[in-house]
Amino acid sequence: MPASPEIEYLKTLVSQLNEKIAALEAKSKGPAAPSPAAQLRTILIGPPGAGKGTQAPRIRDDFCVCHLATGDMLRDQVEKKTPLGIEAKKIMDAGGLVSDDIMVNMIKEQLENNKECKNGFVLDGFPRTVPQAQKLDGMLSARGEKLDSVVQLLIDDQLLISRITGRLIHPASGRSYHKIFHPPKKAGIDDITGEPLIQRSDDNAETLTRRLKTYHTQTGPVVDYYKAKGLWHGIDAAQSPKVVWDNLRSVFTTRK
């Protein structure tokens, strides 16, 4: 028995409704996640005071990636008493150095669970040795990912010492200022929150000279490792923050 015109009309209507629903569902999901070509995975290397604290947040905000400062991450894990934090605290309390595996797993945990890391990351403070760099490569490779670039901020030690001894820090955010080169709008006060700024106890010439010696000893082999991979870019960090930023953007936007 042939279908009545009314049934045929209803079938057509149902088909049109299904098409409309499918279109609305697709639209509600929004644009597709960025492809790896649109993502950024970079490491920022530089001695204390070279400007990592100024540039890393700009990279984070401009490229919509997460800023992974390993020192801050370690303190956060210890404070939150996560399994990794508890393990790290035991080692530190015993006077030991936190293992490379713990540090790499901390980064891996962020990449897996921190939504801000979906488009990539800027890594600050790690790796400091070639074995750490190799473990980081292995972890990323297991995730089907790899580094795009490694940027080193280059600056003369004596200029750094003059920069650092005037440095002011906002503890909660890590924002940094300088009494002469980059003063806050109101002396001693963070521009964003209005909270007080501090000067780190180790921001003095004697301590800094020791830290710079350690930095150069550690960093040389790591830089050579990334140079051999064709990932290294050096930027003159003695220039103004704006010029340094323009050079950084150029590295990130002209990637192969």
Side-chain angles (χ1 to χ4, degrees), residues 223-237:
V223 166
D224 290 342
Y225 174 82
Y226 286 123
K227 280 181 177 178
K229 288 178 168 286
L231 293 171
W232 180 87
H233 302 264
I235 290 179
D236 180 3

Side-chain angles (χ1 to χ4, degrees), residues 5-23:
E6 186 177 5
I7 291 174
E8 290 297 335
Y9 168 73
L10 289 172
K11 283 182 177 178
T12 302
L13 194 60
V14 167
S15 176
Q16 290 173 343
L17 284 170
N18 284 334
E19 288 175 7
K20 182 71 172 174
I21 289 168

Side-chain angles (χ1 to χ4, degrees), residues 160-197:
L160 262 186
I161 290 170
S162 66
R163 271 191 181 185
I164 280 209
T165 49
R167 187 165 66 172
L168 298 166
I169 306 291
H170 178 240
S173 68
R175 272 187 294 278
S176 59
Y177 301 84
H178 193 279
K179 292 175 183 176
I180 298 170
F181 304 125
H182 178 48
K185 293 173 184 174
K186 185 177 179 182
I189 300 296
D190 178 48
D191 290 349
I192 308 298
T193 64
E195 294 170 349
L197 301 172

